[in-house]
Amino acid sequence: MRFTLYLEGAIRKAQAGESRPTVADAVAMHAWLASRHAAFDGLTKAIVHTPVADGVSDPYHGREASPDCVVQLYFSELDGLERSCRAKGPVAELLSAMASRTRADYDWTQQTMAARSFAVPETNVLLAAPAAGPHCTYLVAYPGPADDLHLWLRHYIDHHPPIMAKFPGIREAEIFTRVDSPNTLDVRRADLMQRNKVVFDDPAALHRALASEIRHEMREDGLRFPPFAGGSSHYPMASVARRYG
């Protein structure tokens, strides 16, 4: 099992008379990471997600305001992730570099999570290349709480991925569960009970998947989830990935 650090950023509103800052440049951020990746302890992959310009239609969810940027940093070991998240460590340097390059004041949240990958019928070989992108990711989050979190996760992990894998054109499927972590990164912590993502070649492929009968099958399974509160969020994102290990 791998571990991922979710960094979710919203650009603070510009002051009166100021223009809106530039949204994160994924390619530029990967160039910085490539120059500094050795400082990260056990970093294996990084993904920079930015909003899909025109959104994507989901028959069960209206268009939601996406985060301005989501960064996923994958690590082979939890210890390495935690060492990279010390107060003045490389993750803090990354956020500082992003702020200076985009001239943006981001409000960041962080969450350390365990990452579970699930097989899909046909992966895109480009996603396994050292540098991959752009592609389209549907980021889903469940804030919770559930009446019984462990029962809720058991149902989700047992029942939802086999349906996800039937989406036409799906390239990757992952589920993320929360992990308590003692990192000292000076970023506000999120405490979502679970996240997941499905990956497609482009927004048109995601749109076709959400318009398919499989989306209705996903909905039917969702109605069978053990009791929980908090609803869910769904963000279509343009994603650029790079592997480091």
Side-chain angles (χ1 to χ4, degrees), residues 30-31 44 62 76 114 139 153 171 181 197 219 223 232 245:
H30 278 296
T44 61
S76 55
L139 295 178
L153 293 173
R171 302 307 193 188
S181 175
K197 72 177 191 182
R219 174 67 170 180
L223 296 175
S232 58

Side-chain angles (χ1 to χ4, degrees), residues 3-7 71-73 81 85 91 110-112 185:
F3 296 88
T4 189
L5 179 69
Y6 261 92
L7 296 164
V71 179
Q72 280 187 275
L73 302 176
L81 184 156
C85 287
V91 175
Q110 63 159 314
Q111 188 168 15
T112 298
L185 181 67

Side-chain angles (χ1 to χ4, degrees), residues 8 15 23 25 27 32 45 52 67 80 96 107 119 122 137 155 180 190 197 216 222 234:
E8 188 169 304
Q15 299 296 319
V23 173
D25 181 334
V27 174
W32 185 92
K45 181 180 178 181
V52 169
S96 178
D107 182 16
E122 185 179 2
T137 303
H155 177 97
D180 291 329
K197 72 177 191 182
H216 304 301
H234 299 72

Side-chain angles (χ1 to χ4, degrees), residues 63-85:
R63 188 167 297 182
E64 303 171 55
S66 301
D68 290 301
C69 184
V70 177
V71 179
Q72 280 187 275
L73 302 176
Y74 288 81
F75 293 81
S76 55
E77 301 290 343
L78 182 58
D79 286 349
L81 184 156
E82 292 171 349
R83 283 191 289 269
S84 298
C85 287

